[in-house]
Every structure is written in structure tokens, then in C-alpha cells.
Amino acid sequence: MNLADIPLIDQHAHNILKPEVAAQSPYPAAFTEGYDPEIINYHARHTFFYRRSLRDIAALLNCEAEETAILARRENLGLEELTQIYFQAANLEAIYLDDGLQPGTILPLSWHERFIPVQRILRLELLAEQLIPQSPDFATFLARFNSELDPPPLGVVAFKSIACYRSGLDIQSVADEVAAAHFDNLKQQLHNQPLRLTDKPLIDFLLQQALLIAAKYRLPVQFHTGYGDPSLDLRLANPLNLRYLLELRQYRCVPIVLLHASYPYMQQAGYLASVYPQVYLDFGLAIPFLSVSGMREAIRQMLELTPTTKLMYSSDAHSIPELYYLGAKWGRQVLGEVLEQAITDSDITIAEAEAISVAILRENALILYQSAHETSTKR
């Protein structure tokens, strides 16, 4: 199936780095979740993803499929023209950006809006990290945290949690007084150093404060699930750990979006989407970072159980504009291949496959985030 004409809603991505910051980073750094110099400067160049991507990029930029040739071509074009080329080739309709990754090093949303409509995803842990040092006590902090979220800021269509990175997905209820005690302990340890929030009771408490607000506005909440950089414990990244949270009645009207195909827990994520009405999936990061067969298997495993109304496209692009294009190219291609096989297997008809393609690549996201769009435009 050729899905190139379907415009994409990229429902989870990140901002591009400022040129002066990107210039200090080796090109392969954008193609790996590792951050050890040995991984970036040597091993990342020997992944299927990197080697395949050099050919894809070179074909679009009309240069040799070598890193040096691509870097020279990028330099000649400049970041703005380069971004325009990639976004146009990706046939993007809109991007929802989590601007909480590497804040201070990234270009603002307004820069990206020169090329494409943009909506914002608000990262909860970053907000807490910004407010804790400014707050003299827990009551003040909590009031500020809630006021920043309720109502959701203009242009925000989702909240995002990286609890998976910081303390794992086994989110539990935490009493106010327990959260207050952990806040006080954290304040005593700050000593004017940058804060990286890893306190599990405080993270769990604040996440559930945000979920109550999201329930009020029926705002989707995105969760990092599955693999990521080495600061994440993959054993705690299995979305099955979210069961306690998913069973709580007060959050049942909050759409929960499990990001990154929950790789390597695709089947577990698909099961959750099949039995919990509020659970949705996307397949960014797994696509385009895996091998072609790995990408195909990831989507196939999710669709073993996942209702086709629950699966969405994203790129999880970050740092460089190439990743928006590579996600789009392979997202369309691999989805088309999986649906073709489903037709052969008699799971679906040709007409159903065509409708499913449009749903996964754009319509499911438009429907899911519609109320957030409407709420945002009314403020």
C-alpha cells in the first residue's frame, strides 16, 4: 500500500536543537539513545538504523550516502532550508511538540511554526523542577503547580510524564502529608544545584494531581513507556506497571497515551489498549530507530490486539530535522506492509485497510486531541 498522500499528524515529537548546540554534537548522537562517547562516536554508526538512514537522507539531499557528504550538504543548505525540505518530504499536517527535552538548547515553538502548525505538550516533571526551587513551602509549591495546569496553558493539547525515566511506571497513591515531607527533604538537599526530580512519592503524587486536572478537561496525558536512554530502568518501563493507575475510577476519562510502542513490550501495550477504554498507543521512536524487520514486527505485534481506533503515528523526532522525515517515510511504508499482510491473512479487506491507514496516520489523533484543541482555542 502506498500511503504517501496521507498527511501526517505527528502527535509526539520534540524541538530541533539550536544550530550552535547541534554543531557541538556528533551527527550520530541523534541516531542513538545512548550517550556514552564510545556509543556515539563508534558503535552508533554500525546500526542498521544509521546505515539505512544515510542512504535515505542522501537520496533526498542528492548527495553521496556518506556522513561527510551529508554534513557538507547540510552546511550548504542551512537549517531553515533543510527543515523545509524534510517537512515537505514528510507531508506533515501538524506536529505536537514536547518542548521539555533539553530546554535551553532548543529552538522555540515559534521557530517551528514557520514551517508547520504546532501544538504544545507540557512536560509535568520539568514544570515541577522549575517551581520547587522557587517555592518556600509545599503548600505554595502545590498551589503554583496546580495553577500552571488548571486551566491548561493556551496551545497545550496534552500533558506528558517521564515518570518512567525517573522512578518507574508503578504509580501509587501518596498522601498529602507524605508528599509534603518528601518536598521538605528535597528542599534541604538542593544547595543551589540544578534539580533533577527523582523522588518517587513526590513524582507519583504530582502526576495524580495532574491527572485530576486532565480529567476535568478530558486532556490526554502521554507517558514515556519502553526503552530510552540508560537513565531509564527498562524493567520498570513495562506499561503493565500502570495497572493500579488505570484501575482508579477518578482517572478513567483521561486518555492515556503509551508512547514509543512500549518497545520491547508491544504486546503488553496492545493488551492494555484492548481492555482499557482510556488507553491509546503510538509507535514513535520504535519507528524509525529499529531495523526494518523490527519496525514491521513492532506494528504487527501491537495490532494483534489493539483496536485500530487506538493506534497513532508519531516520530519522536528530536535534535535534527532528519528524524521527522525518517519517521514519516518508514511509518508509512511499514504500516502499509503490515496492512497488506493483514489483507492477505483475511483479517481486513482492502477498503478497511485504506480507512485504517488514514485513521492511524492522522484521524485518531485529530479525534483524541479535538477536545483539547477546542478548550485551548476558547481560552
Side-chain angles (χ1 to χ4, degrees):
M1 295 180 66
N2 186 350
L3 311 181
D5 292 336
I6 302 173
L8 296 178
I9 301 294
D10 191 343
Q11 66 96 50
H12 179 83
H14 301 276
N15 302 47
I16 293 170
L17 288 172
K18 295 176 181 177
E20 61 271 24
V21 176
Q24 299 172 8
S25 180
Y27 194 55
F31 295 83
T32 175
E33 287 294 291
Y35 45 65
D36 186 285
E38 185 178 348
I39 292 292
I40 291 173
N41 295 315
Y42 179 67
H43 295 294
R45 290 186 170 95
H46 296 272
T47 61
F48 286 3
F49 172 42
Y50 191 70
R51 295 185 176 200
R52 182 186 74 234
S53 296
L54 291 185
R55 294 192 297 274
D56 290 340
I57 292 165
L60 188 62
L61 299 185
N62 194 25
C63 66
E64 294 296 318
E66 300 289 340
E67 185 178 314
T68 53
I70 289 170
L71 290 175
R73 182 71 169 139
R74 293 174 97 255
E75 182 70 22
N76 289 336
L77 289 169
L79 182 59
E80 293 205 7
E81 186 173 353
L82 196 69
T83 301
Q84 183 65 50
I85 290 171
Y86 286 124
F87 281 15
Q88 184 172 345
N91 189 14
L92 297 170
E93 181 176 338
I95 298 176
Y96 303 164
L97 289 178
D98 166 13
D99 58 355
L101 180 65
Q102 298 179 288
T105 69
I106 55 176
L107 292 162
L109 269 65
S110 58
W111 185 89
H112 298 75
E113 287 172 338
R114 300 180 192 177
F115 310 98
I116 190 134
V118 172
Q119 300 290 339
R120 183 181 174 221
I121 301 165
L122 190 154
R123 185 180 290 213
L124 298 169
E125 289 79 10
L126 177 62
L127 174 62
E129 289 169 347
Q130 293 169 338
L131 294 177
I132 288 172
Q134 305 169 10
S135 304
D137 53 54
F138 180 71
T140 303
F141 161 70
L142 185 57
R144 289 175 175 174
F145 181 80
N146 287 334
S147 69
E148 289 287 336
L149 301 178
D150 189 1
L154 188 66
V156 167
V157 293
F159 297 153
K160 157 81 178 292
S161 173
I162 55 167
C164 182
Y165 269 103
R166 302 300 178 80
S167 53
L169 294 175
D170 183 19
I171 311 298
Q172 297 293 323
S173 292
V174 178
D176 290 32
E177 57 270 21
V178 173
H182 280 260
F183 173 88
D184 292 340
N185 281 337
L186 188 59
K187 287 285 287 185
Q188 293 172 11
Q189 299 168 18
L190 281 182
H191 305 302
N192 297 318
Q193 296 176 346
L195 173 60
R196 184 178 186 272
L197 182 61
T198 58
D199 186 286
K200 178 172 172 51
L202 195 52
I203 289 172
D204 289 6
F205 176 83
L206 294 174
L207 174 56
Q208 292 181 76
Q209 292 290 305
L211 285 169
L212 288 173
I213 295 169
K216 182 177 175 181
Y217 296 95
R218 295 188 178 271
L219 195 78
V221 178
Q222 300 181 349
F223 282 77
H224 183 107
T225 61
Y227 82 127
D229 71 45
S231 67
L232 174 151
D233 187 338
L234 189 58
R235 295 167 296 183
L236 304 177
N238 188 327
L240 295 181
N241 287 304
L242 288 169
R243 185 176 188 275
Y244 174 80
L245 201 68
L246 297 176
E247 287 288 330
L248 293 176
R249 185 170 299 278
Q250 60 265 39
Y251 310 135
R252 291 297 291 270
C253 65
V254 180
I256 301 295
V257 182
L258 307 180
L259 300 173
H260 314 321
S262 299
Y263 180 84
Y265 305 112
M266 290 84 70
Q267 289 171 314
Q268 290 88 337
Y271 161 74
L272 293 175
S274 74
V275 296
Y276 289 102
Q278 74 269 40
V279 174
Y280 295 77
L281 312 180
D282 94 342
F283 50 76
L285 190 61
I287 295 177
F289 271 58
L290 302 180
S291 69
V292 175
S293 64
M295 292 188 287
R296 192 181 297 120
E297 186 67 8
I299 292 183
R300 188 193 66 76
Q301 287 191 14
M302 285 188 289
L303 284 174
E304 287 174 356
L305 269 178
T306 305
T308 58
T309 49
K310 295 287 205 82
L311 186 60
M312 295 179 291
Y313 169 80
S314 84
S315 66
D316 195 45
H318 59 280
S319 303
I320 60 173
E322 281 88 332
L323 296 178
Y324 293 93
Y325 166 67
L326 294 171
K329 178 183 189 299
W330 288 102
R332 287 190 179 94
Q333 180 166 326
V334 174
L335 177 63
E337 291 174 2
V338 172
L339 293 179
E340 282 181 351
Q341 184 60 50
I343 295 169
T344 301
D345 293 341
S346 74
D347 282 328
I348 54 176
T349 66
I350 293 174
E352 287 169 338
E354 292 171 349
I356 289 168
S357 300
V358 175
I360 291 175
L361 295 177
R362 64 184 302 275
E363 284 185 355
N364 290 344
L366 289 175
I367 293 169
L368 183 65
Y369 295 93
Q370 181 177 9
S371 62
H373 280 293
E374 291 173 351
T375 302
S376 176
T377 56
K378 290 176 183 176
R379 291 193 296 275

